[in-house]
Amino acid sequence: MREKTVADVLAPAELGPVRLRNRVLKAATYEKRARRGLVTDELIDFHVRHAAGGVGMTTVAYCAVSPEGRTDGHQIVWRDEAVPGLRRLTEAVHAEGAAISAQVGHAGPVADSTKTKLPALGPSPSLSLQSLRRVRAATSGDIDRVVQAHGDAAKMAVATGFDAVEVHLGHNYLASSFLSPKLNKRKDSYGGSLANRARLALRIMRAVRDAVGGRIAILAKLNMDDGVPGGFWLDEAIEVARWLEADGTVDAVEMTAGSSLLNPMYLFKGDAPVREFASVMREPVRTGVKLVGSRFLREYPYQDGYLLDDARQVRAAVDLPMVLLGGVTNRQVMDTAMQEGFQFVAMGRALLREPDLINRIAADPATRSLCNHNNRCMVTIFTGSRCVLVPETQPPTDSR
Ligand SMILES: Cc1cc2nc3c(=O)[nH]c(=O)nc-3n(C[C@H](O)[C@H](O)[C@H](O)COP(=O)(O)O)c2cc1C
Ligand code: SF4
């Protein structure tokens, strides 16, 4: 049964087997601070800043389970060479009193094959609009390999001192693209019915649970709505959340939305930085973004707690601990989340803007976030993610 009393978001809490100093998670915001797939001092500094700023747990963004699943050539891939750096990273965060989670996944059709030099994988063949390269349909051998790779990555997360793994089941990355009726046209046991489209996600979660047992916490970041006509939608997401609960493979679910492939702004809401986005693209993509970018990067009105209406419906359907994400920026939204039965909140942009926001909210609950949702930080994922309004967090010198 879910807790009946309303939790204090800033008091310690259990997430699976892990005790956190509070219920605030730093959401994964791709840092672009790894180099040749390895941890750098800049990546450690980034997370130490967030840990020192008061979050209960910080999340190392997207680390790929296999080389073709990267969105960037320098991205961390789980492998032996990465172990010493990952250990330094977890130790540095622990020294600040915070826990640390690793986001693991396979980018599938969102992978950038111009950077990985490997064909991207999807449920069905397609052309990637971002890389203008072919996306190959995953064979059953690919699927088995990717499932196994998630388990291996999770084992490595345990060995390197992480407190949790967050498995990426959203944004039309590989598992999410299989869930999507729009992207998944397969005729085998991975396509068609929801049970078939969800098979990859459920197998991945099973592999992760089998790999880590109860040693660290397991979260799943699952889409509720791709924001695309004919895409994965809330009623199906509720069913998948129920299956995850029945399988016992997750300690908490974090509901998200949108498609990095087809409708990226849907997951952020707020301004669409079309001009800034075009300026960091190579030709011919740059011209394409200038011409039709506003159709790809669409503006949606922002409001605090903008995923709450949908997430509340998932909340009503499962007893699993849940993380509320999307426009959590102040104590009021956090308290609403707790009142609505969410056990944790996750924050992305507000913490990029002010990494010490949680300490400041703890000192003064009336503290308001300075993030204005202009979303220009989205564009900095190509050079070193940061809030463009914060001059002291300039990009790492060797980020290209
Ligand atoms: C610069 C930036 C990079 C992001 N990178 C990732 C990522 O690597 N993985 C992911 O799941 N979400 C990523 N996100 C999405 C955030 O985790 C979060 O879902 C989104 O920002 C909404 O939360 P917010 O309103 O608190 O910012 C990123 C967001 C931003 C702004
Ligand atoms: S650039 Fe800064 S102010 Fe703008 S959305 Fe990102 S974090 Fe917020």
Side-chain angles (χ1 to χ4, degrees):
M1 282 297 284
R2 288 200 294 277
E3 294 137 302
K4 286 270 187 289
T5 51
V6 176
D8 175 357
V9 71
L10 295 184
E14 316 289 332
L15 170 55
V18 182
R19 186 163 175 80
L20 304 182
R21 67 181 169 191
N22 62 47
R23 295 170 182 263
V24 182
L25 317 182
K26 159 75 180 60
T29 52
Y30 183 55
E31 305 89 353
K32 180 68 179 175
R33 282 167 172 77
R35 190 78 188 148
R36 297 193 183 89
L38 303 175
V39 170
T40 60
D41 289 345
E42 286 89 352
L43 183 66
I44 295 176
D45 290 347
F46 179 92
H47 286 284
V48 164
R49 225 175 7 254
H50 286 288
V55 294
M57 181 159 78
T58 187
T59 306
V60 181
Y62 191 68
C63 303
V65 299
S66 49
E68 82 284 358
R70 289 169 294 166
T71 56
D72 164 27
H74 284 291
Q75 203 151 51
I76 293 174
V77 184
W78 294 93
R79 65 200 204 286
D80 290 344
E81 254 183 292
V83 165
L86 290 167
R87 282 218 178 99
R88 272 201 309 130
L89 171 59
T90 59
E91 282 163 12
V93 167
H94 288 152
E96 293 293 341
I100 179 164
S101 171
Q103 187 174 58
V104 301
H106 189 294
V110 180
D112 187 344
S113 55
T114 61
K115 305 234 176 83
T116 65
K117 313 288 179 215
L118 297 162
L121 291 182
S124 308
S126 63
L127 177 76
S128 159
L129 290 179
Q130 279 99 328
S131 65
L132 300 178
R133 303 268 167 100
R134 200 171 63 86
V135 175
R136 182 167 73 73
T139 62
S140 60
D142 291 323
I143 291 173
D144 290 346
R145 172 176 60 81
V146 168
V147 168
Q148 169 81 40
H150 278 81
D152 294 345
K155 248 186 225 159
M156 208 169 267
V158 176
T160 48
F162 284 91
D163 302 283
V165 283
E166 175 183 288
V167 183
H168 207 324
L169 304 181
H171 307 167
N172 283 170
Y173 279 36
L174 189 66
S176 164
S177 66
F178 270 69
L179 286 167
S180 159
K182 185 180 179 75
L183 298 172
N184 184 345
K185 304 293 179 199
R186 297 176 79 97
K187 302 283 180 243
D188 62 3
S189 61
Y190 289 89
S193 66
L194 178 61
N196 282 356
R197 282 181 280 120
R199 194 177 305 282
L200 174 61
L202 298 180
R203 279 192 65 194
I204 285 172
M205 297 315 302
R206 168 53 56 204
V208 169
R209 175 59 82 197
D210 288 349
V212 311
R215 287 178 291 172
I216 60 173
I218 302 174
L219 297 101
K221 187 168 184 176
L222 174 67
N223 260 23
M224 294 184 284
D225 174 6
D226 294 349
V228 178
F232 185 64
W233 165 245
L234 185 57
D235 53 353
E236 295 193 323
I238 289 173
E239 198 56 49
V240 173
R242 284 198 181 113
W243 290 338
L244 289 171
E245 178 165 44
D247 286 353
T249 51
V250 292
D251 295 304
V253 282
E254 177 178 307
M255 305 310 290
T256 185
S259 165
S260 303
L261 196 63
L262 302 170
N263 194 358
M265 295 313 298
Y266 199 76
L267 76 111
F268 297 107
K269 321 295 188 209
D271 302 345
V274 179
R275 202 163 31 90
E276 292 81 3
F277 203 66
S279 71
V280 295
M281 291 288 119
R282 291 178 302 261
E283 291 294 1
V285 179
R286 174 182 295 196
T287 304
V289 172
K290 279 186 188 154
L291 291 175
V292 293
S294 55
R295 256 189 273 162
F296 176 61
L297 294 171
R298 294 160 61 183
E299 272 189 25
Y300 292 93
Y302 171 91
Q303 65 179 56
D304 280 348
Y306 57 84
L307 294 178
L308 178 59
D309 283 350
D310 284 351
R312 181 188 285 132
Q313 298 190 50
V314 184
R315 175 66 296 168
V318 293
D319 281 324
L320 271 174
M322 284 186 66
V323 184
L324 182 71
L325 169 78
V328 179
T329 62
N330 58 47
R331 181 71 204 234
Q332 206 182 338
V333 187
M334 294 173 182
D335 288 344
T336 303
M338 298 298 113
Q339 281 152 13
E340 296 253 3
F342 293 85
Q343 281 68 21
F344 300 93
V345 293
M347 300 168 66
R349 288 164 293 178
L351 292 176
L352 277 185
R353 178 75 182 86
E354 298 164 279
D356 64 346
L357 185 59
I358 304 311
N359 284 343
R360 292 184 32 246
I361 288 175
D364 176 5
T367 304
R368 310 304 291 185
S369 163
L370 296 175
C371 173
N372 65 8
H373 334 115
N374 66 15
N375 292 324
R376 293 197 190 155
C377 48
M378 269 182 73
V379 181
T380 67
I381 62 169
F382 301 105
T383 53
S385 300
R386 65 200 182 281
C387 173
V388 299
L389 303 182
V390 184
E392 63 268 28
T393 55
Q394 285 312 300
T397 44
D398 61 350
S399 59
R400 288 252 171 210

